[in-house]
Amino acid sequence: MNTRSTTKRPKTKKSAPKRTTKKSALKKPAPKKPAPKKPTSKRTTKKRATKKHRAGKQKQRPSGKRIAYWLAALLLWGGIALALVVGYIALGLPDTSKLPLQLRSPSISLLARDGELLARRGNTGGEAIKASELPSHVRDAVISIEDRRFFHHYGIDVRGILRAGFENLLAGELRQGGSTITQQLAKNLFLTPERSVTRKIREALLAIWLETRLTKEEILSLYLNRAYFGAGAYGIDAAARQYFGKSAKTLSLHEAALLAGLLKAPSRYAPSHDSSAALQRADLVLRAMLSEGYIDAKTAGDAEGDISISMLSGSLDVNYAVDWLAARIPYYLGGQDEDVVARTTLDTKLQRHAEDVIAEAFTRESLRDKDIQVALVAMDVDGSVLAMVGGRDYRESRFNRAAQARRQPGSAFKPAVYLAAIESGFSSHSKQLDAPVSVDGWQPQNYSGHYRGEVTLEEALAHSINSVAVRLSEEVGRKRVIEAARRMGITEELRASPSLPLGVFEISPIELVSAYAPFANGGYIVAPHGITELREADGTTLYKREGSGGGRAVNARELDEMNRMMRKVLEYGTGKQAHLGERPAAGKTGTSQNFRDAWFVGYTAQMLAVVWIGRDSGKPMEEITGSTFPAEIWRAFMLRAHEGMPLRPLP
């Protein structure tokens, strides 16, 4: 029999069982739900996300040591790169083994062909004066306005550079420079005036080198004796004599301030250019001296008004020619260590005539616009330059339009076209059709707007008919026209385009007039020149011009035809305003597109001259053509230039 063991349990009070449905009894007991979270605002959520982001960032952020490492590496490699660049630039430094310690720069005395002194370049007649020999206010004025920390830097003034940069930043434009007196001296002694970063680095290196070799006294002395003060005056003593007729040793305070003020922009502030601007600049220097403590307010006030500018007599416009000549001397001599006397081909009488007729012409109402400029070159038939004017006023602009400007000659180039045609078998009486013409889709127009039908070459050149010049160029060939121009002496680039015969390339006035010389001298090419002899002050000859120039450019038959045709230009053609009466003369007018350039080039058997009028900007003029003012100026000059000369037929 089976038995069941039982264990007695303590009795507990039983609760009444809950009633459940069959369905609910089959379900598993539901897990306990977590306690509901407290509601959070969007702001709180954002804060938590930001904290997590910052925490992540802090983990990724490099340590201070790592930053220091990369900064040191960057500085090291940057320094190496800078040293390499500076070292490379230093390789191009000029030779400093022979430091020019003479106080004054060598001078060039330029004489006219009759021996009269025209001008001096370099040290223009002043003494070589040490800074210690000058009144203290002269030195103080220069230092106050040019380099106030001159005695406290070693060639480069870092503080001055930062100050200038800050002032320029505030002004929004370049108003101040950071160059020291030593840097300016380095540029004057060894470098060119080009504006480039490379040149500035070389200038700084040379300035430091100068500071190691010279005392401050020596640097200041060299600077004052070599600086340019305007009006052709190099050196402070030359400037004192030029503007005040006295030695720099006797300059008053205000005079010293005026000269110191010129150093920033000699051409702009020179009394010869603008006396009021020079005086305003002098007052600025006085204020700088007051600010630096060199003078007190009473001294500055007393100084004003004690100045009397007495410019040396003589025209400044001759400086256009003098500048051109002085720039050519190094080609003959190379480096210059001693004073040089140069005898030139300039004729002082003709130079005055050129300046006078231009001054008279520019009193005319149509030429009073100051934007309109002028150039004139007079030349002997052998290429010797007799007179040169490069602008309406040297005080206003030193740019020499006679030698430096490149402008379109327009119809003044047509003699080369007609020469090529004559050499190809045409004559002055050959006929050509003046009618509309088209070349490769290009259709030139006559200046008059009219067409004459069949005309002779003589008539076509006299009236400067464009259609005939283009037809001739196409018939004989553009290359042949270029060859003729080359033989005449034109060296500018010439493109063999359909518009070539209308002078659409650019050329300087001096080169254009020299190209006409073969027609005046019997057919020989010339090179324009102005120096005949160079010698030292003791008379030792350094250079002497010999020879008469180039070979034959035009043969006798062609020369006769060309002179016959170009004489008609003055007799009844576009150059009637240039007619010289009984004196045989020939020439050609020229007007470029839209009245931008107006020319007259002409000659006699004794002399040639060219006159150009235009704007530096190239903007059109009010219908000024070669047949108007250029022809009139040319005639006025040539009549005066030939006074007393015998009448001679053209070759």
Side-chain angles (χ1 to χ4, degrees):
M1 172 173 95
N2 293 334
T3 60
R4 180 184 297 174
S5 61
T6 60
T7 305
K8 291 184 178 180
R9 295 179 181 175
K11 293 182 179 180
T12 57
K13 193 177 181 177
K14 295 182 179 177
S15 59
K18 290 183 180 178
R19 290 184 180 180
T20 59
T21 61
K22 191 175 179 181
K23 244 179 181 179
S24 62
L26 295 174
K27 284 184 178 179
K28 291 182 180 179
K32 288 184 179 180
K33 293 182 179 179
K37 294 181 180 179
K38 293 182 180 179
T40 57
S41 65
K42 287 184 179 180
R43 188 174 180 182
T44 308
T45 306
K46 191 174 181 181
K47 280 183 178 179
R48 288 173 181 169
T50 305
K51 285 180 179 178
K52 287 181 180 180
H53 178 69
R54 285 176 179 169
K57 251 191 163 185
Q58 285 174 353
K59 289 178 182 178
Q60 297 174 2
R61 186 176 292 167
S63 65
K65 289 183 178 180
R66 192 176 184 84
I67 293 172
Y69 169 79
W70 285 112
L71 278 175
L74 184 64
L75 289 172
L76 175 63
W77 287 108
I80 292 172
L82 180 62
L84 289 173
V85 171
V86 172
Y88 175 76
I89 293 174
L91 292 175
L93 288 175
D95 181 18
T96 56
S97 60
K98 294 182 179 179
L99 177 63
L101 289 175
Q102 64 269 28
L103 290 178
R104 62 191 291 274
S105 58
S107 70
I108 303 171
S109 299
L110 295 110
L111 311 179
R113 64 177 181 175
D114 62 359
E116 181 181 338
L117 178 65
L118 289 170
R120 286 191 178 94
R121 285 293 183 267
N123 186 285
T124 55
E127 293 181 43
I129 299 179
K130 293 182 180 179
S132 59
E133 298 174 335
L134 294 168
S136 59
H137 53 252
V138 175
R139 291 170 291 161
D140 297 342
V142 172
I143 291 170
S144 296
I145 199 67
E146 286 295 300
D147 187 0
R148 66 182 69 174
R149 285 175 37 79
F150 174 68
F151 290 107
H152 305 286
H153 61 67
Y154 296 95
I156 303 173
D157 185 8
V158 177
R159 188 188 301 179
I161 293 172
L162 294 175
R163 183 187 65 250
F166 181 71
E167 292 292 337
N168 294 334
L169 187 64
L170 289 179
E173 60 181 357
L174 188 63
R175 288 188 175 180
Q176 292 188 16
S179 292
T180 63
I181 285 176
T182 316
Q183 285 177 267
Q184 295 177 55
L185 176 62
K187 181 179 69 175
N188 291 342
L189 290 177
F190 301 113
L191 302 173
T192 63
E194 66 167 324
R195 292 177 177 270
S196 67
V197 174
T198 300
R199 200 269 289 163
K200 290 298 291 184
I201 294 175
R202 287 175 178 161
E203 178 186 288
L205 293 173
L206 287 168
I208 295 171
W209 180 83
L210 284 172
E211 291 276 351
T212 64
R213 296 297 183 95
L214 304 175
T215 65
K216 290 289 186 179
E217 174 76 14
E218 290 171 330
I219 290 171
L220 188 58
S221 296
L222 277 169
Y223 176 71
L224 289 175
N225 281 276
R226 288 171 173 267
Y228 182 57
F229 288 85
Y234 288 82
I236 193 164
D237 192 59
R241 296 177 189 278
Q242 174 74 0
Y243 297 122
F244 309 119
K246 61 167 67 174
S247 167
K249 296 177 181 179
T250 61
L251 287 170
S252 69
L253 173 58
H254 203 185
E255 290 168 345
L258 186 143
L259 294 185
L262 301 183
L263 291 166
K264 180 181 181 181
S267 298
R268 189 195 316 167
Y269 295 121
S272 56
H273 170 67
D274 189 339
S275 58
S276 61
L279 292 171
Q280 289 176 9
R281 180 76 178 162
D283 291 342
L284 178 65
V285 174
L286 289 174
R287 291 197 295 273
M289 294 178 73
L290 177 62
S291 174
E292 292 300 308
Y294 287 114
I295 57 175
D296 55 31
K298 183 179 184 304
T299 304
D302 293 343
E304 296 181 6
D306 71 345
I307 196 167
S308 176
I309 301 170
S310 55
M311 285 290 297
L312 297 181
S313 61
S315 168
L316 288 177
D317 289 341
V318 72
N319 283 295
Y320 287 118
V322 170
D323 289 347
W324 177 71
L325 292 165
R328 301 175 77 83
I329 290 176
Y331 292 104
Y332 300 108
L333 297 183
Q336 179 192 348
D337 298 322
E338 302 295 334
D339 292 348
V340 172
V341 178
R343 187 174 287 273
T344 76
T345 59
L346 290 182
D347 186 300
T348 53
K349 182 179 178 182
L350 296 182
Q351 180 68 32
R352 283 193 295 269
H353 287 330
E355 296 168 13
D356 290 344
V357 297
I358 286 174
E360 291 165 9
F362 275 80
T363 61
R364 304 274 290 275
E365 186 66 32
S366 301
L367 292 177
R368 286 183 180 172
D369 184 346
K370 289 192 175 182
D371 286 340
I372 296 178
Q373 287 291 343
V374 65
L376 183 152
V377 180
M379 182 180 289
D380 201 330
V381 295
D382 67 354
S384 303
V385 174
L386 303 174
M388 178 184 287
V389 178
R392 63 190 296 166
D393 193 339
Y394 188 80
R395 296 173 180 84
E396 297 291 334
S397 170
R398 297 172 66 189
F399 178 64
N400 189 347
R401 295 152 191 87
Q404 295 173 289
R406 298 290 186 274
R407 307 301 293 243
Q408 290 191 1
S411 295
F413 177 70
K414 286 178 181 174
V417 180
Y418 282 79
L419 176 60
I422 296 296
E423 290 174 337
S424 300
F426 287 83
S427 74
S428 58
H429 300 295
S430 298
K431 298 291 184 68
Q432 269 288 347
L433 182 63
D434 176 21
V437 61
S438 178
V439 182
D440 299 337
W442 174 65
Q443 297 179 330
Q445 303 293 318
N446 285 342
Y447 171 72
S448 65
H450 304 294
Y451 298 94
R452 299 167 182 260
E454 200 172 63
V455 296
T456 64
L457 296 196
E458 178 185 290
E459 293 172 319
L461 184 58
H463 295 294
S464 199
I465 298 174
N466 289 340
S467 66
V468 173
V470 173
R471 289 180 191 277
L472 284 174
S473 176
E474 293 303 305
E475 192 165 338
V476 304
R478 302 168 201 165
K479 288 187 178 179
R480 194 155 191 171
V481 172
I482 293 176
E483 289 171 2
R486 292 283 181 246
R487 278 186 282 107
M488 290 167 60
I490 293 176
T491 61
E492 295 291 341
E493 181 182 357
L494 302 175
R495 293 180 57 197
S497 63
S499 59
L500 172 68
L502 303 188
V504 294
F505 61 95
E506 294 182 337
I507 192 171
S508 67
I510 193 170
E511 184 170 340
L512 183 60
V513 70
S514 66
Y516 277 65
F519 303 127
N521 66 18
Y524 296 93
I525 189 173
V526 304
H529 60 275
I531 303 292
T532 59
E533 184 182 15
L534 295 171
R535 55 183 172 80
E536 292 182 350
D538 62 3
T540 304
T541 300
L542 301 172
Y543 163 82
K544 192 167 186 178
R545 183 177 178 83
E546 296 178 352
S548 56
R552 179 173 285 277
V554 184
N555 291 324
R557 173 188 168 271
E558 290 80 9
L559 178 65
D560 186 52
E561 290 278 22
M562 290 300 299
N563 281 339
R564 181 182 295 112
M565 287 192 291
M566 283 197 279
R567 282 190 66 176
K568 302 303 179 183
V569 174
L570 275 66
E571 290 178 9
Y572 66 83
T574 56
K576 288 185 292 184
Q577 296 292 334
H579 194 244
L580 299 181
E582 295 181 359
R583 186 174 298 277
K588 186 69 187 74
T589 56
T591 307
S592 65
Q593 293 179 343
N594 299 322
F595 307 102
R596 290 187 174 92
D597 304 280
W599 301 80
F600 190 86
V601 191
Y603 54 92
T604 65
Q606 294 111 316
M607 191 185 307
L608 305 97
V610 60
V611 177
W612 166 86
I613 293 179
R615 299 180 194 272
D616 290 338
S617 64
K619 291 182 179 179
M621 297 178 289
E622 294 292 331
E623 297 194 2
I624 296 176
T625 67
S627 61
T628 58
F629 294 116
E632 293 174 12
I633 293 172
W634 183 90
R635 179 178 184 273
F637 170 76
M638 293 294 269
L639 285 175
R640 297 186 192 186
H642 284 79
E643 287 177 357
M645 288 188 182
L647 298 178
R648 289 184 185 173
L650 293 174

